[in-house]
Amino acid sequence: MESFGVEGEYEKLKAIFLPFITPSHLVPVVDIARIFAMHGVDVTIITTPGNAAVFQSSIDRDASRGRSIQTHLVQLPHVPGLPEGVETINATTSKDIASKLFEALNKTIQTQFQQLLHQYKPDFFVSDMFYTWSVDAAAEFGIPRLIYVGGTYFAHCAMDSLERFEPHKKVESDDESFLIPGLPYNLEMTRSQIPERFKKPDDTFSYLMKIVKESEKRSHGSLFKSFYAFEGAYEELYRTIMGTKSWNVGPISSWVNQDAADKGSRGHGKEVEEGKGKEGWLAWLNSKKKGSVVYVCFGSMNNFSGTQIREIAHGLEDCGHDFMWVVRKIDEDESRAVVEEFEKRVEASEKGYLIWGWAPQLLILEHPAVGGVVTHCGMNTVIETVDAGLPMVTWPLFAEQFFNERLVVDVLKIAVPVGAKEWKTWGEFGNEVVGREKIAKAIGLLMGGGEEYEEVRRRVKALSEEAKKAIQIGGSSYNSLKDVIQEMKLLKLEKLKKPVA
Ligand code: UDP
């Protein structure tokens, strides 16, 4: 552990972290909080009991390692229509309940946060992008607000270009490609692949994202879990277009989760796989040859139609490679029965292994038997996969995932696209069904070992080396963390030196 000091340091920095309540925002913000605590900052994370249960074991381990880190719990108020115990927005949360949860959360956390600012007197705080009100709290309290926006710099730059130049309005149809101007790379996309909010600027979500962007610009700076070798050119462009500071602290997951207990329980709170016991997935991977297994996971928010689930099952069975598939949620009885039958069959033939619910992804990615990943291009998974040195089959679904796909396929050339064409609203199935042939073909190319794909493997291995260097002493992300902590200390010093009015 290294504490980054400045000359004349007089006491520890205190910070509050406000993570959001979806796994893919909660998990990285907690990891970022832990990295600050690992480097000498006194950290308090504010969340609800249900969300704390997901990460508290890591906080307890960090505290026993001598780090100053704790959780402050806030209770959600009763909101009509919000079922007892629902505190997280993920694949199992309906849209209606998600909006009630958002309302309840904002109601309670905003008031309690104001009280906590007075009680804890932090020197700065880190807020998830969705707590837009916290930018005013920072101004009122006279301390810096750092914002966590998620996503890649690449996606932020591309989305800014769409807002500014609206190239998608200049094409005739949804599947005609257009160029996104102003980027270091000639990025081509189609209207069907860009988020709905660019096509419906007046809907509620578009409005929310406008407010998020305003609060991003009014923040002291942004924290990203990326690293320079991954998308440095876009990091610089982001700073220019946003006119704010930003710091890179990635790959965060391997920096802060250094032992098997941290990695195994990350995002879940438990190390045990539901239904199959702790050793199930591990014993299966241990029985496989080096690099022979493709790991298939679509993150924490996916929700496929029964038809699509069946196509995935067939595609995996037809691809000719061993696979591990994380299945989250199947509402429809008939499709669930088909997948359960499929599971029995592929586990009996030892070709495949299914994990229901939550997989210990960090441990799986570092297992030598895993040779490739099918991903929906969620930013966390993309960085974790690159960090593990594994090439990808990309299958973007929603949010900024289609932009991330272009980064890894076209710019970095470390992935093979499955050929998805349609951006989907979260929680909706959309019209497109990616067929079994496309799925089997993309996996076959990636895992098949042809010369072109050996190059893909070499490139991602080289990037993985860079990821490892970034978080070592003197590395780009290490220096970035050092910079932001020193800046927070200098701001604290300046504030203390100011004469009291
Ligand atoms: N994750 C995991 N096990 C799972 C599903 C997801 O550990 O079964 C973790 C994954 O490692 C990543 C995060 O949850 O850190 C998912 O974030 P991502 O940005 O990839 O996708 P999202 O959930 O936002 O769609």
Side-chain angles (χ1 to χ4, degrees), residues 137-170:
E140 204 179 301
F141 206 72
I143 56 170
R145 174 205 202 228
L146 301 177
I147 181 171
Y148 172 78
V149 282
T152 50
Y153 284 112
F154 181 86
H156 281 276
C157 294
M159 290 192 283
D160 182 80
S161 174
L162 286 181
E163 277 165 13
R164 251 178 238 263
F165 304 109
E166 301 187 322
H168 52 289
K169 293 196 175 156
K170 295 167 193 150

Side-chain angles (χ1 to χ4, degrees), residues 23 62 75 95 126 157 170 220-222 314 414 489 498:
D62 284 355
Q75 302 290 342
K95 270 189 174 175
V126 177
C157 294
K170 295 167 193 150
H220 187 80
S222 314
H314 281 291
I414 54 172
K489 287 193 172 177
K498 267 194 199 147

Side-chain angles (χ1 to χ4, degrees), residues 289-495:
K289 281 202 204 112
K290 189 168 182 263
S292 65
V293 174
V294 61
Y295 169 68
V296 184
C297 182
F298 300 96
S300 61
M301 308 284 283
N302 72 80
N303 187 15
F304 288 115
S305 68
T307 316
Q308 184 62 81
I309 294 261
R310 287 164 203 233
E311 288 305 303
I312 297 174
H314 281 291
L316 292 176
E317 216 168 7
D318 298 345
C319 77
H321 296 274
D322 290 350
F323 59 88
M324 179 172 269
W325 177 21
V326 187
V327 185
R328 289 201 63 73
K329 183 192 175 202
I330 308 180
D331 284 336
E332 199 198 317
D333 289 344
E334 202 185 318
S335 301
R336 195 170 46 248
V338 169
V339 175
E340 282 165 357
E341 203 43 53
F342 168 81
E343 179 179 26
K344 281 192 202 129
R345 193 166 65 244
V346 296
E347 291 196 4
S349 67
E350 297 185 357
K351 286 301 291 170
Y353 188 93
L354 270 64
I355 296 183
W356 292 84
W358 189 261
Q361 182 158 304
L362 296 183
L363 292 176
I364 292 172
L365 292 179
E366 70 182 20
H367 195 286
V370 177
V373 176
V374 177
T375 174
H376 66 309
C377 300
M379 163 68 170
N380 294 292
T381 298
V382 167
I383 292 274
E384 289 158 21
T385 306
V386 168
D387 194 12
L390 294 168
M392 292 160 248
V393 165
T394 53
W395 182 341
L397 301 169
F398 54 90
E400 85 297 352
Q401 295 158 9
F402 276 90
F403 301 104
N404 297 342
E405 175 181 60
R406 298 272 61 87
L407 174 65
V408 292
V409 171
D410 297 339
V411 182
L412 297 169
K413 300 186 171 47
I414 54 172
V416 180
V418 82
K421 292 192 166 44
E422 183 193 56
W423 185 92
K424 295 172 179 55
T425 301
W426 171 66
E428 291 178 10
F429 298 148
N431 297 318
E432 182 185 29
V433 174
V434 176
R436 60 189 75 177
E437 300 80 13
K438 277 186 168 181
I439 300 167
K441 185 176 171 204
I443 297 176
L445 288 174
L446 189 78
M447 301 294 286
E451 182 46 35
E452 189 184 334
Y453 298 97
E454 283 308 315
E455 266 306 307
V456 167
R457 266 173 209 284
R458 276 194 282 275
R459 277 193 288 269
V460 75
K461 286 262 182 289
L463 210 46
S464 161
E465 294 302 316
E466 294 298 328
K468 308 234 171 329
K469 280 190 214 150
I471 57 173
Q472 282 162 14
I473 297 178
S476 57
S477 294
Y478 178 91
N479 287 342
S480 180
L481 178 70
K482 190 171 170 176
D483 282 353
V484 65
I485 292 181
Q486 285 185 337
E487 184 156 332
M488 293 303 110
K489 287 193 172 177
L490 286 170
L491 287 172
K492 175 179 182 171
L493 266 176
E494 273 169 25
K495 193 176 169 197

